[in-house]
């Protein structure tokens, strides 16, 4: 029981690191979890996503998020991580396929839609990219996430005027 409590505390500390934009600290806590619990697919997904998002250790990141998806194929967050790792590896068509699966539900997350827009742009489907970014922007507005709203608006404006 104590080991699991420590694992949960480390996962919480990692999330706090992400929220504070202190990614090295977040990664360190996840690595500690995986040192003791190497089969923890949640920690594997989280660390793989952090690495992929930063363009670090992309091969390992892909393996980690793929293992998470293999463990929970219906988990949209894991599918998003897999799609984003593939995107970072410039495997754009595969990224689109995974991100479409992640976005397929009734209530997709804005970040997933934003990632899907980026992937569509890289397979030369600007119209679908803009449509996904517009949907993502609406969700970010509902969450009052001004940073993501502005970033998404910038993409929409840039690629609408081309």
């Amino acid at each position: 029981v104590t080991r699991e409590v420590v694992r949960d505390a480390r996962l919480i500390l990692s999330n706090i690191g992400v929220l504070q934009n202190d990614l090295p600290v977040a990664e360190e806590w996840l690595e500690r979890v995986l040192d003791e619990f190497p089969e923890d697919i949640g920690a594997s997904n989280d660390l793989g996503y952090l690495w992929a998002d930063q363009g670090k250790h992309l091969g390992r990141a892909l393996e980690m998020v793929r293992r998470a998806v293999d463990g929970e194929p219906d988990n949209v967050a894991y599918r998003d991580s897999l799609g984003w790792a593939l995107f970072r590896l410039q495997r754009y068509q595969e990224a689109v396929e995974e991100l479409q699966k992640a976005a397929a539900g009734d209530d997709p997350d804005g970040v997933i839609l934003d990632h899907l827009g980026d992937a569509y742009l890289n397979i030369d489907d600007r119209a679908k990219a803009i449509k996904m970014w517009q949907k993502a922007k609406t969700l970010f507005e509902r969450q009052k996430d001004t940073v993501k709203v502005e970033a998404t608006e910038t993409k929409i404006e840039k690629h609408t005027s081309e």
Side-chain angles (χ1 to χ4, degrees):
V1 172
T2 304
R3 288 178 63 224
E4 285 78 17
V5 170
V6 171
R7 179 191 64 203
D8 291 347
R10 289 175 175 159
L11 292 171
I12 291 167
L13 289 166
S14 173
N15 284 332
I16 292 169
V18 169
L19 292 172
Q20 293 178 335
N21 205 29
D22 192 344
L23 301 184
V25 165
E27 292 171 22
E28 173 67 25
W29 286 117
L30 289 168
E31 288 168 356
R32 288 184 183 192
V33 170
L34 290 168
D35 284 346
E36 191 170 351
F37 299 91
E39 300 306 313
D40 187 315
I41 61 173
S44 183
N45 175 75
D46 291 354
L47 184 57
Y49 179 82
L50 286 176
W51 283 349
D53 200 42
Q54 298 171 76
K56 294 170 34 176
H57 316 297
L58 290 174
R60 284 180 62 204
L62 179 63
E63 289 173 21
M64 294 169 80
V65 297
R66 194 176 298 280
R67 191 169 76 234
V69 168
D70 289 346
E72 287 186 32
D74 296 329
N75 186 314
V76 296
Y78 296 175
R79 285 259 174 222
D80 176 54
S81 296
L82 177 56
W84 199 235
L86 289 163
F87 177 87
R88 292 297 193 168
L89 286 161
Q90 300 179 353
R91 293 165 56 178
Y92 300 121
Q93 186 59 50
E94 292 172 86
V96 165
E97 292 165 14
E98 289 301 328
L99 292 166
Q100 284 173 331
K101 291 175 189 174
D106 291 335
D107 189 23
D109 182 80
V111 172
I112 295 171
L113 295 174
D114 184 49
H115 287 166
L116 182 54
D118 292 353
Y120 277 136
L121 183 67
N122 279 280
I123 62 165
D124 296 322
D125 195 337
R126 189 168 19 138
K128 282 186 182 173
I130 292 168
K131 182 178 176 184
M132 289 302 115
W133 291 329
Q134 287 170 333
K135 287 182 177 183
K137 180 184 158 206
T138 299
L139 294 172
F140 297 147
E141 286 170 341
R142 282 189 206 148
Q143 297 167 349
K144 298 182 181 10
D145 190 332
T146 55
V147 172
K148 288 179 183 169
V149 168
E150 289 173 12
T152 310
E153 278 178 347
T154 300
K155 287 189 229 184
I156 293 167
E157 289 169 11
K158 177 182 179 191
H159 296 288
T160 300
S161 63
E162 289 180 348

